[in-house]
Amino acid sequence: MNAAYTEFISLLKKKALNDAIDLAERESLAAGERSEFWLTQLSIALREGGRIDEALEAADRACLLAPRNGWALVARGDALMRKGDERAALAGYNEALVDARAAPRAKKAILACLSGAGTWERVISFLDQADLPAADTFPWWVKALMGLGRNDEALAVCDRWLAEFPETPAALWKKAELQVMAEGIDPVRKRFSRLARIPGKPPVYAEISAWLSKRSGNSEEAAQQYEQLSRQSAGNPSILRKQAFALAKSRHDDRAVPLMEELLRMSPDDMYLHAAYVPACTRLGELERAWKFYHELLVLHPGERGLYGRLKRVGKAMEKVTLEPPR
């Protein structure tokens, strides 16, 4: 089972979901009456593949075989959440708390469920008795307090979070957001700009500084900051993505378009990149480039059906400017 499970996880990471589903189905059949483990894995793979009803059916079968198996209960809850049945999902996650192995995962799922419903008082009540590691609770405390409009308390939690876990990126992002709400954007932007220039500070300070520049309307400065970050981070896709948007915002489309193309080759389903890419090509007068690029993407990602619609829209845009789409 260990070798098969290792292969299953590898397939999930590679997004080879049909292969992962086939593997889990074979292993569950081979396990017979003790197939709850592989039925649980099958549910996970089906859910990742968007086959939610089948994922719920597999989890139900696992729960019938092992009613107190926390991992099966969590998988069932996750499928129910994807179906939009938050109440039933929450009940399943609470059942999973009896399994010590799955309890930490179930607790996080309960917090996500309560948070998704915006029941912030219940989030706080659960946090008071959840017995989770502090590193796992700080983000939920901040989110719940902000949801209740108790921003001063949320900021104090950020300070405790950073005191216990210095320079945690998530804490710094939340602190910056809360400070902007309290002080306005300019003083916070200047503060993070100074911090970003201190030697040895982690890149998150520069990322927040660039985000604040962009948010304050200084797209040119943001583009320069993201470009510097990109050089320092050896082409981190997340930074490249932000750089591309900042360049497009500041109308440096000639530099934004190649970056967007590089990113879309890696993530052809990124709707935000697609939404920015064609307008940037239009501003450059290079719709033919977009036409050719989408054909290239279809060769690289033939299963990405949405590209056909985007290609069709580019063709129509070319007709409007009297450019005949290439044959």
Side-chain angles (χ1 to χ4, degrees), residues 242-255:
K242 293 171 183 175
Q243 181 187 356
F245 284 122
L247 286 167
K249 185 76 172 177
S250 57
R251 292 298 187 263
H252 291 300
D253 297 307
D254 56 327
R255 292 158 60 198

Side-chain angles (χ1 to χ4, degrees), residues 106-117:
K107 289 175 182 178
K108 292 177 187 177
I110 289 170
L111 286 166
C113 195
L114 295 174
S115 175

